[in-house]
Amino acid sequence: MSFLLRATLVIAALSYCAANRDAPDPGLQPPVSVASLPSLWEALPPEIRERALREGTAQAGRHLASALALPASRDTLADADRKPAWRGVEGH
């Protein structure tokens, strides 16, 4: 029964997507064109531009430092665990 329900839902979803394939979605359009971004940047007060650059650079530096940092060791073995006692016949 669950197979039939899942198959019906998949077929319905694919049919819906096929029916709306050619309709443009106004929600997917960018709210600001790329050409207007420099003019928006220049419209900001100098203090805000400087602060945005400073904080953005600091955040990028933190992200880069964390990406380059070596991961902490997840090794849980003690030194005694790495040197097991000898098992076998002595004297050979």
Side-chain angles (χ1 to χ4, degrees):
M1 179 71 173
S2 66
F3 171 76
L4 294 176
L5 182 60
R6 283 186 280 164
T8 303
L9 287 174
V10 168
I11 292 171
L14 290 175
S15 299
Y16 175 78
C17 290
N20 293 324
R21 174 178 54 190
D22 295 329
D25 187 3
L28 295 178
Q29 302 299 324
V32 177
S33 69
V34 175
S36 66
L37 287 179
S39 62
L40 288 174
W41 179 256
E42 294 299 324
L44 291 173
E47 301 85 27
I48 294 186
R49 283 186 281 174
E50 183 179 322
R51 182 177 174 198
L53 282 174
R54 187 174 51 246
E55 290 180 7
T57 304
Q59 181 64 27
R62 286 190 296 269
H63 181 70
L64 183 62
S66 68
L68 295 177
L70 294 175
S73 175
R74 299 180 67 109
D75 187 10
T76 58
L77 293 176
D79 286 335
D81 295 332
R82 289 190 181 89
K83 300 173 188 167
W86 170 256
R87 292 184 188 151
V89 179
E90 290 192 34
H92 279 254

